[in-house]
């Protein structure tokens, strides 16, 4: 394979190949020409890791085949067993005795790549395996794009510091609002102005449940309905008890407000105790109860059910997310969009990849290549 | 005065010193330290022109005094008669016989400046005097930041081309949405994605009138109410008949969709014919009538009263503006904020100035200095 010029090259290690990871690969496939024409970059996947194995190719994995292998065998490990083999240099990284498995950290360390895309499931207990993956990548001079809230919720200040120290970028658009560019809006669209406070509906599952309760369902009925539609997990505690919203609030507070906080700095409460009567009573007065994540002017961080006016722009229904920023000069500004979704979140990763590539082109956060 | 290093310098010619212009000066005054610390720039006003005269100082006008002179005498022309004189070099530009007046174009041509801020009133008939001011500035290698919709609505494709040809930037954040960064959101926050269509409530006056009619007022009563609150002009035709929304739609279509269009390409209709009965009938079905400016998937541009669902994020009341973008990968995204206001619009100018300064720092659109 002819080596591309350095300025268009973006070699990616993708760890985590679930719905979001697969949608990213679909996006890279369907938009390849357009991404090159509009942003002058040719992303190439040099390694993909899922829970059962790994596929590597320094010259770039065949994306179509990668998706097909995953679909047929449930793991990318089968990539190297299925028809043509990867290059011999690649195969060294794979311990064949373990059935195609190898240590993820070795891949992150050893492959030539400009960026790690971290898309393993969120774990708010210890942030693993995302935290180790991200730390390893940064220490080895790789930029990181993550959609994994765990590591950021637990250690964002130190991760940002580590990235800065190592001269690489750490980006995480997809962690808040799915494809809705909430973080970018606050960071890039309000330059010259100052955000004084913000409040948001950051969790689609709880918003769906509360919207259903407004239509007269009890909490349990609404939760079951959310489950049947695939909006809630079997164990819905992450959503229901406010952990997910709190994690997103931590990310916003660090990134937008320049605070140095983690989950421990958020006072949060979920929606388990919201009673149907409360909701119906609020409704009589033109109000609705929503799970609101907020950073007030004193920079107190809170997640709690709150009654808000039905006519406020913030008041969205169903699985939508919304954030209202109060700025010093431009008043209240609200951004609304879908808060989740595989393709939506994948589009946020692509956005981050474009930013990483452009910063590299300008010598910002340039890592070894 | 000690000359600043070139990299922090941003010398501004401000033409138009009404509410927005004065708020810009207040903003530059109150935020001077912050603007320098955060964005590394020291904006300096070298000329200010209002309808009755001009104040110039190549070393930078005293902003506090400028505001005071305007307040006391109604024109900046008195700046040079009031206490200390400007530098002698400046005075040459002013024809004393005309009581401090001089030709604006001469100021734009002759003063050393990196950027023209054009804030004269919008004129949708021939775009003047904004059109001549902007054209002169671009031809003389000045970047332009404008909040004047007229020149853009009538000649945006050729103005953008002229700016590109001359290697300068033309920015116009404040022309759509006041301080709400609608244009930036679409242009910068959705990179990697594609906007397929959009629809918006772009005129606060008509939205206020329609909101009042929903509460039972007739069109004439609502219009009078808007007038008494200062939301509508003595001649409200620009708003009521859809010209203002159409002008903003033209700007969005050119900037966001890459179209090359002017007012003539918009089919538009105002709200004069909206009857109270229509609104009350829509209300029965959970709908509201709004003046919607839209660009559909076939890129047809329209402004017309339309019935939309009360629960749509786009459905905002009062003088708010809102735009919903339909993107290829991230679904529907809505931005809501105040659509007007002196300080809000001034903050949009500051945003543009920061962008111009940064582009200059990177050698993009660098003009003579």
């Amino acid at each position: 394979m002819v080596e591309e010029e350095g300025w268009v090259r973006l070699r990616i290690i993708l760890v985590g190949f679930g719905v979001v990871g697969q949608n990213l690969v679909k996006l890279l496939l369907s938009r390849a020409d357009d991404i090159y024409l509009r942003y002058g970059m040719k992303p190439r996947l040099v390694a993909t890791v899922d829970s059962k194995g790994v596929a590597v190719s320094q010259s770039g994995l065949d994306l179509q085949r990668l998706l097909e292998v995953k679909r047929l065998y449930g793991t990318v490990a089968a990539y190297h067993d299925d028809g043509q083999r990867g290059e011999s240099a690649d195969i060294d990284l794979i311990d064949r005795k373990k059935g195609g498995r190898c240590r993820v950290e070795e891949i992150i360390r050893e492959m030539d790549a400009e960026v790690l895309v971290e898309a393993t499931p969120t774990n708010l207990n210890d942030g693993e395996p995302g935290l180790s993956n991200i730390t390893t990548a940064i220490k080895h001079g790789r930029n990181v794009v993550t959609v994994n809230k765990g590591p950021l919720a637990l250690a964002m200040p130190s991760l940002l510091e580590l990235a800065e120290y190592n001269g690489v970028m750490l980006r995480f658009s997809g962690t808040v609002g799915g494809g809705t560019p909430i973080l970018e809006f606050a960071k890039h669209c309000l330059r010259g102005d100052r955000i004084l406070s913000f409040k948001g509906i950051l969790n689609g599952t709880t918003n769906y449940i509360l919207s259903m309760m407004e239509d007269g369902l009890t909490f349990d009925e609404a939760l079951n309905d959310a489950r049947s539609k695939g909006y809630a997990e079997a164990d819905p505690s992450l959503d229901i008890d406010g952990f997910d919203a709190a994690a997103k609030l931590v990310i916003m507070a660090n990134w937008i407000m320049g605070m140095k906080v983690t989950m421990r700095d958020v006072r949060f409460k979920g929606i388990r105790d919201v009673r149907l009567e409360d909701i119906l009573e609020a409704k009589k007065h033109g109000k609705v109860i929503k799970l609101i994540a907020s950073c007030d002017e004193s920079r107190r961080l809170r997640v709690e059910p709150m009654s808000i006016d039905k006519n406020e722009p913030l008041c969205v229904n169903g699985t939508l997310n919304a954030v209202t920023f109060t700025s010093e000069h431009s008043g209240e500004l609200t951004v609304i969009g879908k808060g989740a979704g595989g393709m939506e979140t994948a589009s946020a990763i692509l956005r981050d990849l474009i930013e990483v590539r452009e910063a590299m082109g300008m010598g910002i956060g340039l890592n070894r290549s």
Side-chain angles (χ1 to χ4, degrees), chain A:
Chain A
M1 186 176 190
V2 178
E3 190 73 349
E4 287 125 8
E5 297 292 332
W7 65 273
V8 297
R9 189 169 58 193
L10 189 72
R11 292 168 303 185
I12 300 166
I13 297 168
L14 170 62
V15 179
F17 200 52
V19 176
V20 172
Q22 290 174 58
N23 271 292
L24 175 64
V25 170
K26 285 176 197 164
L27 198 51
L28 294 178
L29 259 176
S30 69
R31 298 283 308 281
D33 291 347
D34 189 54
I35 291 169
Y36 178 59
L37 287 174
R38 290 172 67 179
Y39 306 104
M41 74 179 200
K42 290 188 176 175
R44 205 199 307 165
L45 213 56
V46 297
T48 302
V49 181
D50 62 22
S51 57
K52 295 186 193 130
V54 59
V56 293
S57 168
Q58 194 58 61
S59 61
L61 292 162
D62 176 336
L63 301 184
Q64 194 72 62
R65 191 153 78 89
L66 191 70
L67 288 169
E68 194 61 12
V69 163
K70 178 76 177 178
R71 193 179 64 81
L72 287 174
Y73 305 103
T75 171
V76 296
Y79 184 91
H80 293 287
D81 302 321
D82 184 56
Q84 76 206 88
R85 303 228 154 208
E87 292 161 30
S88 58
D90 303 337
I91 301 298
D92 292 347
L93 281 167
I94 304 166
D95 185 346
R96 294 253 142 211
K97 288 175 210 143
K98 294 183 191 162
R101 288 171 204 228
C102 76
R103 289 192 25 246
V104 178
E105 291 188 25
E106 207 180 319
I107 297 274
I108 296 173
R109 277 202 315 268
E110 303 296 333
M111 298 292 294
D112 273 339
E114 283 76 31
V115 56
L116 165 72
V117 173
E118 224 291 332
T120 61
T122 291
N123 161 358
L124 290 175
N125 294 317
D126 62 8
E128 296 299 350
L131 189 54
S132 294
N133 292 341
I134 292 172
T135 311
T136 304
I138 293 176
K139 284 184 179 161
H140 286 80
R142 320 246 182 257
N143 301 288
V144 174
V145 172
T146 181
V147 289
N148 184 339
K149 291 179 286 288
L152 298 175
L154 300 171
M156 190 153 169
S158 54
L159 287 175
L160 285 173
E161 218 166 273
L162 189 67
E164 198 181 350
Y165 178 79
N166 285 276
V168 298
M169 291 178 83
L170 170 60
R171 286 295 180 272
F172 34 79
S173 269
T175 57
V176 179
T180 309
I182 291 171
L183 296 174
E184 286 84 350
F185 180 84
K187 193 86 173 177
H188 299 301
C189 291
L190 291 172
R191 302 173 72 197
D193 205 335
R194 283 188 287 215
I195 293 173
L196 305 175
S197 63
F198 63 84
K199 55 186 176 177
I201 293 172
L202 301 178
N203 181 272
T205 307
T206 47
N207 204 50
Y208 180 82
I209 291 172
L210 292 173
S211 298
M212 287 291 107
M213 288 174 76
E214 228 188 308
D215 291 344
L217 271 60
T218 64
F219 175 80
D220 288 327
E221 287 166 352
L223 175 56
N224 284 333
D225 183 60
R227 274 207 186 103
S228 74
K229 291 209 169 66
Y231 298 152
E233 306 290 326
D235 171 16
S237 169
L238 271 188
D239 297 318
I240 301 298
D241 295 320
F243 290 92
D244 178 73
K248 289 166 179 167
L249 180 58
V250 164
I251 294 168
M252 293 180 74
N254 279 281
W255 191 236
I256 298 171
M257 308 301 276
M259 294 163 73
K260 291 185 187 300
V261 290
T262 68
M263 286 289 273
R264 276 186 287 187
D265 301 296
V266 183
R267 207 178 78 189
F268 64 97
K269 192 179 147 184
I271 63 164
R272 268 187 215 276
D273 301 335
V274 177
R275 297 172 314 163
L276 184 52
E277 304 93 273
D278 302 334
I279 289 179
L280 299 178
E281 180 62 26
K283 199 174 176 179
K284 280 187 206 154
H285 303 93
K287 303 259 184 189
V288 280
I289 293 180
K290 297 288 184 189
L291 185 65
I292 302 290
S294 64
C295 171
D296 66 18
E297 292 212 20
S298 311
R299 309 208 152 193
R300 270 184 302 247
L301 303 177
R302 272 187 215 151
V303 175
E304 60 191 340
M306 282 177 68
S307 153
I308 64 169
D309 198 285
K310 216 178 161 46
N311 287 321
E312 267 192 54
L314 184 64
C315 182
V316 292
N317 288 321
T319 57
L320 286 176
N321 279 16
V323 179
T324 297
F325 299 97
T326 301
S327 69
E328 187 175 0
H329 306 298
S330 306
E332 294 197 345
L333 303 152
T334 303
V335 180
I336 300 169
K338 275 184 73 176
M343 186 48 88
E344 287 80 357
T345 308
S347 80
I349 297 178
L350 178 57
R351 198 155 66 217
D352 284 346
L353 289 173
I354 292 168
E355 201 189 334
V356 165
R357 190 65 199 82
E358 290 188 344
M360 286 169 57
M362 293 190 289
I364 304 161
L366 184 59
N367 57 0
R368 67 176 199 185
S369 64

